[in-house]
Amino acid sequence: MRRFLLYSLLAIGALVFIYPFVWMVAATFKPEAEVTNFNLFSNSFSFDNYLFVFRKIPVTRSFFNSLFVSVIVTASVIFFGSVTGYALARLRFAGRSLVVNIALLTMMIPAQLTLIPLYTLVVRFGWINSFAALIVPAMMSSYAALLFRNFFMQIPQSLVEAARLDGCSDLRILFSIIFPLSKPIIWTVALLTFMGIWNDVLWSLMVIRDETKMTMPLVVTLFAVGGGAEARLGAQLAAAALLAVPVIVAYVFLQRHLIESLAASGMKN
Amino acid sequence: MSNKKPNRFARIFRHEKKGERTERVGYLMVLPYVLHTFVFLGYPLAFAFVLIFHRWNIYTPMRFVGFGNIRLLISDPLVWRALLNTLYFLLIHVPLQLAVALLFAQLLNQKIRARAFFRASFFMPVVVSGVVVTILWQQLFAFETGLINVALNGLGLTKIGWLTSPNVAMPAIAVMATWKNVGLYIVLLLVGLQGIPTHLYEAAELDGASAWQKFRYITVPALNPTIILVLVLSTIGGFSLFIEPYVMTGGGPVSSTLSGILYLYKQAFVFGKMGYAATIGFFWAIIVFVVVMIQRRVVERTETERM
């Protein structure tokens, strides 16, 4: 009896979290009049909503814009984060603890404080409507540098020393000896960064107004907010589904890594 | 130069351990990070304090207004409205989130099959973009055609103006935000629960403790650090609310869902008031900081009182 209760609660929970997504995808294939009922299937299956969305907004283009920005930022955060983290964990130089303290301090600054001044800086650089505005400010992260530093500190110094005797440079040591041992932390940083950049709307909304440069979440947001959808529910849901489905597919494959990364990042805060 | 007293420069840049050689390549390796932080965080941080005292629309030269922005902020009813709205949001969102997360973390911590499946399904809304969730729930909340009202109607209950009545709109958004984020907190609390040694519960059972007593005196104290984390993260999330009111309500009805960031955004990009927007951001940052500090203090104090 107790087990029955346990499983029914869990099943209700799973249904509450998954069913809305299933319903959303199903609704996009239904005619407008049938969007607003619980049925998943309709007699008149159609791609109308998707054709409408593709006609109205640059879906493909914005998808590749998002991919481009997210991949570059993620690669950069991993590269510079690990290089910085390596120096802070493994090399002795004056002012090292100062840099660590600065990194810790920067993480306590609420983002609201620098949002507008950062925007005015980007305007002065002439980066409005360019990918530079989306990429450059996000290229490095204190959080990533500290995560890498903490992880690298656990790697035995003897490994580093042995490589040095063989005449390896520090970058060689980092990328060919330490990196293969650091898969968990690389996953964590990569997934957190990618997700953060991929899902961002506020900053993109501030710096990009040219539709050809917009990221996908921004295009979908503006489609829903500013009359582009002509109040068609099915079309709004179709745009949302186009944004959600690649993420959900990636999630199905990466879910273990992703959940553990996010849990680990939360714990370390 | 016979004076042996080390000069100030040498003292600041003294080596970590005496006698060790300095590895100069270290400077080269941290340089990009330090420069980047200086330009994209240090400079904006300093410039925030300039903006606060100026009126500026970015296109024409700045005008010094002294404490004008701050006076405006104090007497601006919409700023206080946004703050009250956020507190109202937190009042519902934070306890709800904690309760739901605790319940499902407990359920997942039992001996069950398919734990990975359940965990992954609760987590799904966390990874999906906030825009998707907002568009989806806007439909669910719609007055005439929304599935929630359709269901209420079917049960013979009256429809509720989820996003159209001022008293209900913010709680509705709080429920949606809980649905979106609770998966993360379920996982965090589950990790915490799995770290509690089972012998504590066995000992308590021998002493005849009830399920509630075990929860109250073993589980809750052991989870305390995780609970603080849940409180702090969901509070910070509440103060960053933007996309939900931006898409669903535009801050309405009658400013009942206006959030701090939405107001800041409007001041900057609808009215072109960069100085005032920066002042709102500054004010908001102070509030976030103070609220988080109070939370930690309160949770830590209740903890020590219990011991």
Side-chain angles (χ1 to χ4, degrees):
Chain A
M1 181 60 207
R2 198 173 154 274
R3 314 250 350 128
F4 175 73
L5 197 67
L6 177 67
Y7 280 106
S8 21
L9 273 173
L10 283 168
I12 291 170
L15 206 64
V16 165
F17 288 101
I18 290 183
Y19 183 79
F21 288 118
V22 178
W23 174 84
M24 175 175 81
V25 174
T28 60
F29 296 108
K30 296 191 284 192
E32 191 69 10
E34 292 174 43
V35 166
T36 57
N37 64 43
F38 284 92
N39 299 339
L40 292 183
F41 301 103
S42 155
N43 292 328
S44 36
F45 178 92
S46 90
F47 286 105
D48 269 4
N49 288 319
Y50 288 95
L51 294 175
F52 180 80
V53 171
F54 275 94
R55 207 165 56 233
K56 285 278 179 179
I57 53 176
V59 177
T60 325
R61 169 116 203 195
S62 65
F63 176 82
F64 284 107
N65 287 348
S66 273
L67 201 62
F68 175 72
V69 169
S70 309
V71 167
I72 291 194
V73 168
T74 306
S76 163
V77 166
I78 291 175
F79 178 79
F80 288 107
S82 61
V83 168
T84 312
Y86 175 82
L88 294 178
R90 282 293 174 207
L91 299 177
R92 259 180 293 276
F93 55 95
R96 182 178 70 172
S97 47
L98 184 70
V99 177
V100 174
N101 284 326
I102 289 175
L104 285 169
L105 207 69
T106 58
M107 293 185 26
M108 290 179 65
I109 300 170
Q112 295 92 342
L113 188 53
T114 52
L115 193 61
I116 295 293
L118 184 63
Y119 169 75
T120 65
L121 183 70
V122 164
V123 171
R124 197 166 306 170
F125 285 161
W127 288 351
I128 295 303
N129 278 331
S130 83
F131 290 136
L134 298 176
I135 294 172
V136 182
M139 278 179 88
M140 292 183 214
S141 135
S142 299
Y143 186 49
L146 290 171
L147 282 179
F148 276 115
R149 171 181 176 264
N150 291 345
F151 192 88
F152 292 162
M153 291 208 304
Q154 297 157 11
I155 287 171
Q157 181 72 22
S158 54
L159 264 177
V160 178
E161 296 299 338
R164 276 211 186 125
L165 288 178
D166 292 342
C168 284
S169 71
D170 283 291
L171 283 182
R172 267 291 294 287
I173 296 177
L174 172 59
F175 291 118
S176 53
I177 295 171
I178 295 189
F179 251 49
L181 301 172
S182 309
K183 290 220 179 79
I185 196 71
I186 297 172
W187 268 115
T188 301
V189 172
L191 290 171
L192 287 178
T193 309
F194 195 93
M195 244 183 74
I197 291 290
W198 182 273
N199 287 339
D200 168 75
V201 174
L202 177 56
W203 180 248
S204 323
L205 183 65
M206 288 166 71
V207 297
I208 305 287
R209 278 136 221 179
D210 172 358
E211 206 177 45
T212 61
K213 299 278 173 53
M214 285 181 182
T215 56
M216 201 170 170
L218 180 56
V219 163
V220 171
T221 303
L222 293 179
F223 179 67
V225 175
E230 292 166 11
R232 281 178 58 168
L233 284 178
Q236 289 189 21
L237 292 170
L242 285 169
L243 180 56
V245 167
V247 176
I248 291 177
V249 170
Y251 173 63
V252 168
F253 288 103
L254 293 174
Q255 55 97 2
R256 201 179 51 100
H257 282 300
L258 233 162
I259 293 174
E260 279 158 17
S261 296
L262 280 164
S265 74
M267 292 319 246
K268 276 168 198 148
N269 271 334
Chain B
M1 291 295 280
S2 57
N3 193 350
K4 279 277 172 351
K5 208 168 139 197
N7 66 37
R8 186 173 295 156
F9 185 80
R11 234 183 305 142
I12 293 173
F13 288 94
R14 87 189 128 85
H15 293 184
E16 296 286 314
K17 281 178 193 158
K18 284 218 171 86
E20 304 263 18
R21 82 193 160 91
T22 296
E23 288 155 312
R24 278 176 209 284
V25 66
Y27 292 113
L28 228 60
M29 292 174 94
V30 297
L31 189 67
Y33 166 73
V34 171
L35 282 180
H36 184 271
T37 306
F38 187 78
V39 174
F40 292 104
L41 197 69
Y43 175 78
L45 196 60
F47 195 59
F49 290 91
V50 175
L51 274 174
I52 287 171
F53 300 106
H54 289 80
R55 182 172 296 169
W56 193 30
N57 63 6
I58 276 200
Y59 304 108
T60 56
M62 275 192 206
R63 223 175 67 227
F64 182 76
V65 292
F67 289 100
N69 284 327
I70 295 169
R71 269 203 301 274
L72 186 61
L73 180 120
I74 291 168
S75 61
D76 185 345
L78 284 178
V79 169
W80 300 103
R81 186 68 211 247
L83 184 59
L84 277 179
N85 289 342
T86 306
L87 295 177
Y88 189 26
F89 172 89
L90 291 175
L91 196 70
I92 296 161
H93 176 60
V94 175
L96 183 65
Q97 177 125 289
L98 193 59
V100 174
L102 268 173
L103 171 70
F104 281 104
Q106 283 277 16
L107 294 179
L108 284 179
N109 198 34
Q110 313 292 317
K111 284 198 191 69
I112 52 164
R113 282 163 205 270
R115 181 185 290 145
F117 164 77
F118 286 118
R119 191 179 72 155
S121 39
F122 301 154
F123 202 80
M124 191 141 100
V126 178
V127 295
V128 173
S129 160
V131 183
V132 172
V133 171
T134 307
I135 292 175
L136 172 57
W137 278 75
Q138 189 173 28
Q139 207 292 314
L140 300 183
F141 280 144
F143 186 74
E144 288 295 340
T145 55
L147 289 198
I148 298 177
N149 276 352
V150 170
L152 286 180
N153 220 10
L155 296 170
L157 300 165
T158 45
K159 292 186 208 166
I160 294 171
W162 296 104
L163 297 175
T164 48
S165 65
N167 293 325
V168 185
M170 205 50 158
I173 291 180
V175 169
M176 175 184 81
T178 308
W179 182 82
K180 163 99 174 77
N181 299 322
V182 77
L184 177 61
Y185 302 108
I186 292 174
V187 172
L188 287 177
L189 287 167
L190 181 61
V191 172
L193 282 175
Q194 285 168 344
I196 304 175
T198 45
H199 67 80
L200 289 179
Y201 292 107
E202 285 154 11
E205 266 160 35
L206 286 180
D207 291 342
S210 68
W212 168 250
Q213 282 171 326
K214 281 189 285 183
F215 177 74
R216 174 70 183 74
Y217 294 103
I218 300 174
T219 313
V220 172
L223 284 183
N224 199 44
T226 320
I227 292 175
I228 297 179
L229 187 73
V230 175
L231 290 178
V232 168
L233 289 181
S234 42
T235 304
I236 292 175
F239 278 101
S240 322
L241 203 63
F242 170 76
I243 192 71
E244 296 83 352
Y246 179 74
V247 171
M248 287 181 138
T249 58
V254 286
S255 300
S256 63
T257 58
L258 184 71
S259 75
I261 303 297
L262 182 59
Y263 191 49
L264 175 156
Y265 174 84
K266 282 186 172 171
Q267 286 295 338
F269 296 95
V270 180
F271 305 115
K273 292 180 172 173
M274 292 300 155
Y276 190 47
T279 312
I280 297 169
F282 181 71
F283 173 70
W284 218 245
I286 293 176
I287 301 271
V288 174
F289 202 81
V290 170
V291 169
V292 168
M293 284 302 147
I294 293 174
Q295 263 182 348
R296 294 183 92 129
R297 196 58 65 79
V298 168
V299 176
E300 271 153 24
R301 184 176 302 158
T302 50
E303 184 58 16
T304 44
E305 273 169 8
R306 213 162 41 208
M307 294 206 168

